[in-house]
Amino acid sequence: MDDISHILNQLGEDREHYYNAVSPPVIQTSNFCFPTVQAMRENINREFDIPFYTRGNNPTVAILRKKLAALEGTEDALVTSSGCAAITAAVMSNLKAGDHAICIKNPYSWTDTLFNTILAKYGVRVSMTDGVNPMELGSLICEETKLIYLESPNSFTFELQDLTSVASFAKAKKIITVIDNSYSTPLYQQPLSYGIDIVIHSASKYLGGHSDLVAGVICGKQEMIKKIFDAEFMTFGGIISPHDAWLLMRGLRTLPVRMQKISENAAKVTSFLEQHPMIKKVLYPHLPSHPQYGLAKRQMKGSGGLFSFLLREESTEKIDVFCDSLQRFLLACSWGGYESLVFPASVLYSSGNNNKKNIPVNLIRMYIGLEDAGLLIADISKALEKMKNT
Ligand SMILES: *Cc1c(COP(=O)(O)O)cnc(C)c1O
């Protein structure tokens, strides 16, 4: 097992091939040429391993593939233009008309669209379940079930699935398991070690870490990765550009220090919120009050910077005052960067947005970045006072 600093600083980097530059070059090219027809003929079907055309293989992206696979403890990885490109390629590669799939309730919103709108068009039947009770999830399995899709925890209400249990009954029935591991990063949860087959990340979050790129990752056994590469990956064409791959690699170098600081900050902010009289409940896997705290401790090493809380206040006007009063949190979606963010669920109740209607209006999702925790806490405290006094 490679140690993490070796993966981040060395693995995949052949510096003698590019003038001993410390930082790898951005190989900004669409295609690659060959000295002879024979050489071209030999390489045309080896795109998985050899640069031929950048939609398939690019040397800058190839370095990243090695690092991401090693971080997840998997044989190989593919990097995509977004987390959603990774999810669609991996899921569609393992389903066909007539199949049945199981997906956890309240997944990332576009994952929900994939399972509940798009797959239906191709004759795939889908069951949704909250996944908290593995037996309940197991009871949905039928003859046609070919894929189970997990997100543990999900990124709004933070329910977990017991990965070992789900993987064991899926394996017994030869069902492929896929997990969106964006919340935990490979540092805090390695789903393959529990028997999960495919691990997905939105690299737009922690892996990139600087809110300056959109990318995704698919990790798994080489046979599975090759199967996805040979059909969906090459055909859907959702590839990362060499430049974004370079940015992602640059962000990845500092993943462990960022995660450490972010987790320390979030621990301070969540314990402040938990004791505050205006807060009803904090949803964060590594708080002892989380209903699945034991499972979180067992299968995750940490919980990072993303959590939600329920205000006792339920008036949207007052909740808006709270969020508008925060000076050190940007009002924005996404998360995983250096900057703290706030996302009030009431935004989801705006016109025409039917997603996630089961999320209570007094739920606030927060993401804690690299700022000083004391300043963030003071800011929240002031904004709560302001809400109270309106
Ligand atoms: C953001 C996100 C995605 C989608 O990733 P993109 O890179 O935005 O396509 C998927 N899953 C989770 C949990 C996310 O937060």
Side-chain angles (χ1 to χ4, degrees), residues 32-63:
F32 300 85
C33 56
F34 294 89
T36 62
V37 175
Q38 185 53 26
M40 201 174 177
R41 190 175 289 129
E42 277 167 14
N43 285 300
I44 191 161
N45 290 321
R46 298 179 59 209
E47 260 194 287
F48 187 66
D49 303 305
I50 301 281
F52 194 89
Y53 182 63
T54 281
R55 176 154 39 76
N57 195 318
N58 174 283
T60 309
V61 180
I63 302 174

PDB file of all heavy atoms in Angstrom, residues 32-63:
ATOM      1  N   PHE A  32      -2.289  12.412 -31.230  1.00  0.00           N
ATOM      2  CA  PHE A  32      -0.899  11.963 -31.114  1.00  0.00           C
ATOM      3  C   PHE A  32      -0.507  11.287 -32.421  1.00  0.00           C
ATOM      4  O   PHE A  32      -1.311  10.544 -32.991  1.00  0.00           O
ATOM      5  CB  PHE A  32      -0.763  10.999 -29.923  1.00  0.00           C
ATOM      6  CG  PHE A  32      -1.165  11.649 -28.625  1.00  0.00           C
ATOM      7  CD1 PHE A  32      -2.503  11.692 -28.226  1.00  0.00           C
ATOM      8  CD2 PHE A  32      -0.220  12.270 -27.823  1.00  0.00           C
ATOM      9  CE1 PHE A  32      -2.887  12.327 -27.051  1.00  0.00           C
ATOM     10  CE2 PHE A  32      -0.593  12.904 -26.650  1.00  0.00           C
ATOM     11  CZ  PHE A  32      -1.937  12.939 -26.257  1.00  0.00           C
ATOM     12  N   CYS A  33       0.713  11.539 -32.894  1.00  0.00           N
ATOM     13  CA  CYS A  33       1.099  10.979 -34.194  1.00  0.00           C
ATOM     14  C   CYS A  33       2.069   9.809 -34.027  1.00  0.00           C
ATOM     15  O   CYS A  33       2.624   9.596 -32.946  1.00  0.00           O
ATOM     16  CB  CYS A  33       1.680  12.070 -35.086  1.00  0.00           C
ATOM     17  SG  CYS A  33       3.074  12.924 -34.342  1.00  0.00           S
ATOM     18  N   PHE A  34       2.251   9.071 -35.121  1.00  0.00           N
ATOM     19  CA  PHE A  34       3.065   7.853 -35.095  1.00  0.00           C
ATOM     20  C   PHE A  34       4.102   7.897 -36.212  1.00  0.00           C
ATOM     21  O   PHE A  34       3.852   8.480 -37.262  1.00  0.00           O
ATOM     22  CB  PHE A  34       2.154   6.623 -35.240  1.00  0.00           C
ATOM     23  CG  PHE A  34       1.253   6.465 -34.045  1.00  0.00           C
ATOM     24  CD1 PHE A  34      -0.003   7.085 -34.008  1.00  0.00           C
ATOM     25  CD2 PHE A  34       1.674   5.747 -32.933  1.00  0.00           C
ATOM     26  CE1 PHE A  34      -0.816   6.985 -32.886  1.00  0.00           C
ATOM     27  CE2 PHE A  34       0.860   5.648 -31.813  1.00  0.00           C
ATOM     28  CZ  PHE A  34      -0.382   6.261 -31.791  1.00  0.00           C
ATOM     29  N   PRO A  35       5.243   7.255 -36.009  1.00  0.00           N
ATOM     30  CA  PRO A  35       6.308   7.337 -37.022  1.00  0.00           C
ATOM     31  C   PRO A  35       6.018   6.503 -38.264  1.00  0.00           C
ATOM     32  O   PRO A  35       6.473   6.834 -39.347  1.00  0.00           O
ATOM     33  CB  PRO A  35       7.545   6.793 -36.287  1.00  0.00           C
ATOM     34  CG  PRO A  35       6.996   5.942 -35.186  1.00  0.00           C
ATOM     35  CD  PRO A  35       5.687   6.542 -34.804  1.00  0.00           C
ATOM     36  N   THR A  36       5.240   5.412 -38.103  1.00  0.00           N
ATOM     37  CA  THR A  36       4.982   4.529 -39.247  1.00  0.00           C
ATOM     38  C   THR A  36       3.542   4.035 -39.207  1.00  0.00           C
ATOM     39  O   THR A  36       2.894   4.084 -38.161  1.00  0.00           O
ATOM     40  CB  THR A  36       5.879   3.259 -39.189  1.00  0.00           C
ATOM     41  OG1 THR A  36       5.537   2.556 -37.984  1.00  0.00           O
ATOM     42  CG2 THR A  36       7.360   3.576 -39.220  1.00  0.00           C
ATOM     43  N   VAL A  37       3.080   3.568 -40.339  1.00  0.00           N
ATOM     44  CA  VAL A  37       1.737   2.975 -40.409  1.00  0.00           C
ATOM     45  C   VAL A  37       1.656   1.800 -39.447  1.00  0.00           C
ATOM     46  O   VAL A  37       0.669   1.624 -38.733  1.00  0.00           O
ATOM     47  CB  VAL A  37       1.413   2.506 -41.846  1.00  0.00           C
ATOM     48  CG1 VAL A  37       0.064   1.785 -41.896  1.00  0.00           C
ATOM     49  CG2 VAL A  37       1.426   3.670 -42.803  1.00  0.00           C
ATOM     50  N   GLN A  38       2.736   1.006 -39.423  1.00  0.00           N
ATOM     51  CA  GLN A  38       2.748  -0.165 -38.558  1.00  0.00           C
ATOM     52  C   GLN A  38       2.555   0.224 -37.091  1.00  0.00           C
ATOM     53  O   GLN A  38       1.759  -0.387 -36.372  1.00  0.00           O
ATOM     54  CB  GLN A  38       4.066  -0.950 -38.753  1.00  0.00           C
ATOM     55  CG  GLN A  38       4.145  -2.269 -37.995  1.00  0.00           C
ATOM     56  CD  GLN A  38       2.967  -3.206 -38.257  1.00  0.00           C
ATOM     57  OE1 GLN A  38       2.311  -3.152 -39.303  1.00  0.00           O
ATOM     58  NE2 GLN A  38       2.652  -4.060 -37.277  1.00  0.00           N
ATOM     59  N   ALA A  39       3.236   1.282 -36.653  1.00  0.00           N
ATOM     60  CA  ALA A  39       3.102   1.747 -35.260  1.00  0.00           C
ATOM     61  C   ALA A  39       1.673   2.199 -34.990  1.00  0.00           C
ATOM     62  O   ALA A  39       1.100   1.929 -33.928  1.00  0.00           O
ATOM     63  CB  ALA A  39       4.073   2.887 -34.995  1.00  0.00           C
ATOM     64  N   MET A  40       1.076   2.866 -35.968  1.00  0.00           N
ATOM     65  CA  MET A  40      -0.295   3.344 -35.818  1.00  0.00           C
ATOM     66  C   MET A  40      -1.252   2.160 -35.702  1.00  0.00           C
ATOM     67  O   MET A  40      -2.138   2.134 -34.842  1.00  0.00           O
ATOM     68  CB  MET A  40      -0.657   4.187 -37.037  1.00  0.00           C
ATOM     69  CG  MET A  40      -1.805   5.121 -36.810  1.00  0.00           C
ATOM     70  SD  MET A  40      -1.988   6.162 -38.268  1.00  0.00           S
ATOM     71  CE  MET A  40      -3.438   7.065 -37.776  1.00  0.00           C
ATOM     72  N   ARG A  41      -1.040   1.173 -36.551  1.00  0.00           N
ATOM     73  CA  ARG A  41      -1.875  -0.028 -36.563  1.00  0.00           C
ATOM     74  C   ARG A  41      -1.794  -0.765 -35.219  1.00  0.00           C
ATOM     75  O   ARG A  41      -2.781  -1.213 -34.679  1.00  0.00           O
ATOM     76  CB  ARG A  41      -1.401  -0.940 -37.701  1.00  0.00           C
ATOM     77  CG  ARG A  41      -2.312  -2.125 -37.995  1.00  0.00           C
ATOM     78  CD  ARG A  41      -1.810  -2.897 -39.223  1.00  0.00           C
ATOM     79  NE  ARG A  41      -1.991  -2.180 -40.468  1.00  0.00           N
ATOM     80  CZ  ARG A  41      -1.034  -1.964 -41.382  1.00  0.00           C
ATOM     81  NH1 ARG A  41       0.197  -2.406 -41.205  1.00  0.00           N
ATOM     82  NH2 ARG A  41      -1.305  -1.306 -42.494  1.00  0.00           N
ATOM     83  N   GLU A  42      -0.586  -0.821 -34.680  1.00  0.00           N
ATOM     84  CA  GLU A  42      -0.399  -1.538 -33.405  1.00  0.00           C
ATOM     85  C   GLU A  42      -1.086  -0.850 -32.236  1.00  0.00           C
ATOM     86  O   GLU A  42      -1.437  -1.475 -31.253  1.00  0.00           O
ATOM     87  CB  GLU A  42       1.106  -1.668 -33.088  1.00  0.00           C
ATOM     88  CG  GLU A  42       1.758  -2.825 -33.799  1.00  0.00           C
ATOM     89  CD  GLU A  42       3.282  -2.736 -33.730  1.00  0.00           C
ATOM     90  OE1 GLU A  42       3.802  -1.941 -32.922  1.00  0.00           O
ATOM     91  OE2 GLU A  42       3.924  -3.456 -34.519  1.00  0.00           O
ATOM     92  N   ASN A  43      -1.245   0.484 -32.346  1.00  0.00           N
ATOM     93  CA  ASN A  43      -1.749   1.233 -31.189  1.00  0.00           C
ATOM     94  C   ASN A  43      -3.221   1.596 -31.251  1.00  0.00           C
ATOM     95  O   ASN A  43      -3.785   2.019 -30.241  1.00  0.00           O
ATOM     96  CB  ASN A  43      -0.907   2.492 -30.988  1.00  0.00           C
ATOM     97  CG  ASN A  43       0.446   2.135 -30.384  1.00  0.00           C
ATOM     98  OD1 ASN A  43       0.520   1.577 -29.303  1.00  0.00           O
ATOM     99  ND2 ASN A  43       1.505   2.414 -31.117  1.00  0.00           N
ATOM    100  N   ILE A  44      -3.853   1.432 -32.418  1.00  0.00           N
ATOM    101  CA  ILE A  44      -5.221   1.935 -32.551  1.00  0.00           C
ATOM    102  C   ILE A  44      -6.200   1.271 -31.577  1.00  0.00           C
ATOM    103  O   ILE A  44      -7.146   1.907 -31.122  1.00  0.00           O
ATOM    104  CB  ILE A  44      -5.732   1.863 -34.018  1.00  0.00           C
ATOM    105  CG1 ILE A  44      -7.053   2.653 -34.125  1.00  0.00           C
ATOM    106  CG2 ILE A  44      -5.900   0.421 -34.515  1.00  0.00           C
ATOM    107  CD1 ILE A  44      -7.432   3.045 -35.517  1.00  0.00           C
ATOM    108  N   ASN A  45      -5.957   0.054 -31.216  1.00  0.00           N
ATOM    109  CA  ASN A  45      -6.870  -0.601 -30.271  1.00  0.00           C
ATOM    110  C   ASN A  45      -6.336  -0.647 -28.838  1.00  0.00           C
ATOM    111  O   ASN A  45      -6.797  -1.426 -28.031  1.00  0.00           O
ATOM    112  CB  ASN A  45      -7.213  -2.015 -30.754  1.00  0.00           C
ATOM    113  CG  ASN A  45      -8.095  -1.959 -31.983  1.00  0.00           C
ATOM    114  OD1 ASN A  45      -8.987  -1.101 -32.073  1.00  0.00           O
ATOM    115  ND2 ASN A  45      -7.828  -2.825 -32.956  1.00  0.00           N
ATOM    116  N   ARG A  46      -5.352   0.194 -28.571  1.00  0.00           N
ATOM    117  CA  ARG A  46      -4.763   0.189 -27.222  1.00  0.00           C
ATOM    118  C   ARG A  46      -4.968   1.515 -26.499  1.00  0.00           C
ATOM    119  O   ARG A  46      -4.183   1.903 -25.650  1.00  0.00           O
ATOM    120  CB  ARG A  46      -3.256  -0.116 -27.319  1.00  0.00           C
ATOM    121  CG  ARG A  46      -2.948  -1.496 -27.904  1.00  0.00           C
ATOM    122  CD  ARG A  46      -1.453  -1.706 -27.995  1.00  0.00           C
ATOM    123  NE  ARG A  46      -0.832  -1.599 -26.681  1.00  0.00           N
ATOM    124  CZ  ARG A  46       0.424  -1.179 -26.495  1.00  0.00           C
ATOM    125  NH1 ARG A  46       1.170  -0.811 -27.511  1.00  0.00           N
ATOM    126  NH2 ARG A  46       0.920  -1.118 -25.264  1.00  0.00           N
ATOM    127  N   GLU A  47      -6.037   2.209 -26.875  1.00  0.00           N
ATOM    128  CA  GLU A  47      -6.256   3.553 -26.337  1.00  0.00           C
ATOM    129  C   GLU A  47      -6.405   3.610 -24.825  1.00  0.00           C
ATOM    130  O   GLU A  47      -6.205   4.658 -24.223  1.00  0.00           O
ATOM    131  CB  GLU A  47      -7.506   4.170 -26.972  1.00  0.00           C
ATOM    132  CG  GLU A  47      -7.182   5.120 -28.078  1.00  0.00           C
ATOM    133  CD  GLU A  47      -8.370   5.965 -28.481  1.00  0.00           C
ATOM    134  OE1 GLU A  47      -9.281   5.427 -29.121  1.00  0.00           O
ATOM    135  OE2 GLU A  47      -8.382   7.146 -28.139  1.00  0.00           O
ATOM    136  N   PHE A  48      -6.815   2.510 -24.255  1.00  0.00           N
ATOM    137  CA  PHE A  48      -6.958   2.475 -22.791  1.00  0.00           C
ATOM    138  C   PHE A  48      -5.603   2.760 -22.127  1.00  0.00           C
ATOM    139  O   PHE A  48      -5.530   3.390 -21.079  1.00  0.00           O
ATOM    140  CB  PHE A  48      -7.488   1.088 -22.377  1.00  0.00           C
ATOM    141  CG  PHE A  48      -7.846   0.975 -20.922  1.00  0.00           C
ATOM    142  CD1 PHE A  48      -8.902   1.704 -20.383  1.00  0.00           C
ATOM    143  CD2 PHE A  48      -7.141   0.117 -20.081  1.00  0.00           C
ATOM    144  CE1 PHE A  48      -9.240   1.588 -19.039  1.00  0.00           C
ATOM    145  CE2 PHE A  48      -7.480  -0.006 -18.736  1.00  0.00           C
ATOM    146  CZ  PHE A  48      -8.534   0.736 -18.220  1.00  0.00           C
ATOM    147  N   ASP A  49      -4.526   2.296 -22.770  1.00  0.00           N
ATOM    148  CA  ASP A  49      -3.189   2.423 -22.176  1.00  0.00           C
ATOM    149  C   ASP A  49      -2.295   3.446 -22.861  1.00  0.00           C
ATOM    150  O   ASP A  49      -1.340   3.939 -22.269  1.00  0.00           O
ATOM    151  CB  ASP A  49      -2.465   1.063 -22.237  1.00  0.00           C
ATOM    152  CG  ASP A  49      -3.266  -0.030 -21.550  1.00  0.00           C
ATOM    153  OD1 ASP A  49      -3.599   0.167 -20.369  1.00  0.00           O
ATOM    154  OD2 ASP A  49      -3.580  -1.055 -22.200  1.00  0.00           O
ATOM    155  N   ILE A  50      -2.528   3.735 -24.132  1.00  0.00           N
ATOM    156  CA  ILE A  50      -1.583   4.501 -24.950  1.00  0.00           C
ATOM    157  C   ILE A  50      -2.269   5.762 -25.488  1.00  0.00           C
ATOM    158  O   ILE A  50      -3.402   5.692 -25.940  1.00  0.00           O
ATOM    159  CB  ILE A  50      -1.143   3.632 -26.173  1.00  0.00           C
ATOM    160  CG1 ILE A  50      -0.487   2.329 -25.693  1.00  0.00           C
ATOM    161  CG2 ILE A  50      -0.256   4.396 -27.129  1.00  0.00           C
ATOM    162  CD1 ILE A  50       0.928   2.443 -25.245  1.00  0.00           C
ATOM    163  N   PRO A  51      -1.600   6.920 -25.458  1.00  0.00           N
ATOM    164  CA  PRO A  51      -2.201   8.121 -26.049  1.00  0.00           C
ATOM    165  C   PRO A  51      -2.373   7.955 -27.565  1.00  0.00           C
ATOM    166  O   PRO A  51      -1.383   7.660 -28.272  1.00  0.00           O
ATOM    167  CB  PRO A  51      -1.184   9.223 -25.744  1.00  0.00           C
ATOM    168  CG  PRO A  51      -0.300   8.697 -24.669  1.00  0.00           C
ATOM    169  CD  PRO A  51      -0.292   7.212 -24.833  1.00  0.00           C
ATOM    170  N   PHE A  52      -3.586   8.111 -28.043  1.00  0.00           N
ATOM    171  CA  PHE A  52      -3.883   8.010 -29.473  1.00  0.00           C
ATOM    172  C   PHE A  52      -4.712   9.230 -29.873  1.00  0.00           C
ATOM    173  O   PHE A  52      -4.421   9.902 -30.848  1.00  0.00           O
ATOM    174  CB  PHE A  52      -4.653   6.706 -29.744  1.00  0.00           C
ATOM    175  CG  PHE A  52      -4.727   6.314 -31.187  1.00  0.00           C
ATOM    176  CD1 PHE A  52      -3.731   5.523 -31.762  1.00  0.00           C
ATOM    177  CD2 PHE A  52      -5.795   6.723 -31.977  1.00  0.00           C
ATOM    178  CE1 PHE A  52      -3.796   5.182 -33.107  1.00  0.00           C
ATOM    179  CE2 PHE A  52      -5.865   6.372 -33.316  1.00  0.00           C
ATOM    180  CZ  PHE A  52      -4.862   5.597 -33.888  1.00  0.00           C
ATOM    181  N   TYR A  53      -5.731   9.483 -29.067  1.00  0.00           N
ATOM    182  CA  TYR A  53      -6.598  10.642 -29.245  1.00  0.00           C
ATOM    183  C   TYR A  53      -7.054  11.030 -27.842  1.00  0.00           C
ATOM    184  O   TYR A  53      -7.347  10.149 -27.026  1.00  0.00           O
ATOM    185  CB  TYR A  53      -7.792  10.251 -30.142  1.00  0.00           C
ATOM    186  CG  TYR A  53      -8.756  11.366 -30.450  1.00  0.00           C
ATOM    187  CD1 TYR A  53      -8.333  12.483 -31.171  1.00  0.00           C
ATOM    188  CD2 TYR A  53     -10.084  11.311 -30.040  1.00  0.00           C
ATOM    189  CE1 TYR A  53      -9.223  13.516 -31.463  1.00  0.00           C
ATOM    190  CE2 TYR A  53     -10.974  12.333 -30.333  1.00  0.00           C
ATOM    191  CZ  TYR A  53     -10.531  13.440 -31.044  1.00  0.00           C
ATOM    192  OH  TYR A  53     -11.408  14.455 -31.329  1.00  0.00           O
ATOM    193  N   THR A  54      -7.125  12.328 -27.522  1.00  0.00           N
ATOM    194  CA  THR A  54      -7.295  12.759 -26.132  1.00  0.00           C
ATOM    195  C   THR A  54      -8.639  12.374 -25.510  1.00  0.00           C
ATOM    196  O   THR A  54      -8.751  12.284 -24.294  1.00  0.00           O
ATOM    197  CB  THR A  54      -6.964  14.273 -25.998  1.00  0.00           C
ATOM    198  OG1 THR A  54      -5.531  14.402 -25.969  1.00  0.00           O
ATOM    199  CG2 THR A  54      -7.523  14.912 -24.740  1.00  0.00           C
ATOM    200  N   ARG A  55      -9.660  12.071 -26.323  1.00  0.00           N
ATOM    201  CA  ARG A  55     -10.915  11.595 -25.725  1.00  0.00           C
ATOM    202  C   ARG A  55     -10.692  10.283 -24.967  1.00  0.00           C
ATOM    203  O   ARG A  55     -11.358   9.987 -23.981  1.00  0.00           O
ATOM    204  CB  ARG A  55     -12.030  11.441 -26.772  1.00  0.00           C
ATOM    205  CG  ARG A  55     -13.317  10.863 -26.208  1.00  0.00           C
ATOM    206  CD  ARG A  55     -14.582  11.250 -26.969  1.00  0.00           C
ATOM    207  NE  ARG A  55     -14.412  11.286 -28.404  1.00  0.00           N
ATOM    208  CZ  ARG A  55     -14.350  10.231 -29.203  1.00  0.00           C
ATOM    209  NH1 ARG A  55     -14.467   9.011 -28.711  1.00  0.00           N
ATOM    210  NH2 ARG A  55     -14.170  10.375 -30.493  1.00  0.00           N
ATOM    211  N   GLY A  56      -9.706   9.499 -25.437  1.00  0.00           N
ATOM    212  CA  GLY A  56      -9.428   8.230 -24.778  1.00  0.00           C
ATOM    213  C   GLY A  56      -8.314   8.329 -23.746  1.00  0.00           C
ATOM    214  O   GLY A  56      -8.474   7.887 -22.616  1.00  0.00           O
ATOM    215  N   ASN A  57      -7.199   8.911 -24.133  1.00  0.00           N
ATOM    216  CA  ASN A  57      -6.025   8.881 -23.261  1.00  0.00           C
ATOM    217  C   ASN A  57      -5.177  10.119 -23.505  1.00  0.00           C
ATOM    218  O   ASN A  57      -4.898  10.473 -24.645  1.00  0.00           O
ATOM    219  CB  ASN A  57      -5.208   7.613 -23.576  1.00  0.00           C
ATOM    220  CG  ASN A  57      -4.191   7.297 -22.501  1.00  0.00           C
ATOM    221  OD1 ASN A  57      -3.520   8.183 -21.982  1.00  0.00           O
ATOM    222  ND2 ASN A  57      -4.079   6.020 -22.160  1.00  0.00           N
ATOM    223  N   ASN A  58      -4.831  10.771 -22.422  1.00  0.00           N
ATOM    224  CA  ASN A  58      -3.960  11.950 -22.491  1.00  0.00           C
ATOM    225  C   ASN A  58      -2.953  11.837 -21.346  1.00  0.00           C
ATOM    226  O   ASN A  58      -3.342  11.486 -20.230  1.00  0.00           O
ATOM    227  CB  ASN A  58      -4.820  13.215 -22.351  1.00  0.00           C
ATOM    228  CG  ASN A  58      -3.978  14.472 -22.260  1.00  0.00           C
ATOM    229  OD1 ASN A  58      -3.407  14.771 -21.220  1.00  0.00           O
ATOM    230  ND2 ASN A  58      -3.889  15.187 -23.367  1.00  0.00           N
ATOM    231  N   PRO A  59      -1.672  12.087 -21.598  1.00  0.00           N
ATOM    232  CA  PRO A  59      -0.649  11.851 -20.558  1.00  0.00           C
ATOM    233  C   PRO A  59      -0.863  12.643 -19.271  1.00  0.00           C
ATOM    234  O   PRO A  59      -0.560  12.149 -18.183  1.00  0.00           O
ATOM    235  CB  PRO A  59       0.660  12.276 -21.240  1.00  0.00           C
ATOM    236  CG  PRO A  59       0.382  12.137 -22.701  1.00  0.00           C
ATOM    237  CD  PRO A  59      -1.063  12.473 -22.885  1.00  0.00           C
ATOM    238  N   THR A  60      -1.380  13.885 -19.364  1.00  0.00           N
ATOM    239  CA  THR A  60      -1.630  14.652 -18.141  1.00  0.00           C
ATOM    240  C   THR A  60      -2.735  13.974 -17.336  1.00  0.00           C
ATOM    241  O   THR A  60      -2.631  13.813 -16.111  1.00  0.00           O
ATOM    242  CB  THR A  60      -2.017  16.114 -18.479  1.00  0.00           C
ATOM    243  OG1 THR A  60      -1.037  16.657 -19.367  1.00  0.00           O
ATOM    244  CG2 THR A  60      -2.100  16.969 -17.224  1.00  0.00           C
ATOM    245  N   VAL A  61      -3.782  13.552 -18.034  1.00  0.00           N
ATOM    246  CA  VAL A  61      -4.899  12.868 -17.366  1.00  0.00           C
ATOM    247  C   VAL A  61      -4.440  11.511 -16.818  1.00  0.00           C
ATOM    248  O   VAL A  61      -4.880  11.082 -15.748  1.00  0.00           O
ATOM    249  CB  VAL A  61      -6.087  12.692 -18.349  1.00  0.00           C
ATOM    250  CG1 VAL A  61      -7.255  11.991 -17.659  1.00  0.00           C
ATOM    251  CG2 VAL A  61      -6.542  14.038 -18.912  1.00  0.00           C
ATOM    252  N   ALA A  62      -3.523  10.864 -17.543  1.00  0.00           N
ATOM    253  CA  ALA A  62      -3.063   9.525 -17.137  1.00  0.00           C
ATOM    254  C   ALA A  62      -2.374   9.552 -15.769  1.00  0.00           C
ATOM    255  O   ALA A  62      -2.512   8.618 -14.976  1.00  0.00           O
ATOM    256  CB  ALA A  62      -2.125   8.947 -18.201  1.00  0.00           C
ATOM    257  N   ILE A  63      -1.653  10.629 -15.486  1.00  0.00           N
ATOM    258  CA  ILE A  63      -1.003  10.745 -14.167  1.00  0.00           C
ATOM    259  C   ILE A  63      -2.081  10.776 -13.084  1.00  0.00           C
ATOM    260  O   ILE A  63      -1.993  10.104 -12.054  1.00  0.00           O
ATOM    261  CB  ILE A  63      -0.128  12.028 -14.088  1.00  0.00           C
ATOM    262  CG1 ILE A  63       0.938  12.028 -15.186  1.00  0.00           C
ATOM    263  CG2 ILE A  63       0.509  12.155 -12.698  1.00  0.00           C
ATOM    264  CD1 ILE A  63       1.736  13.331 -15.267  1.00  0.00           C
TER     265      ILE A  63
END
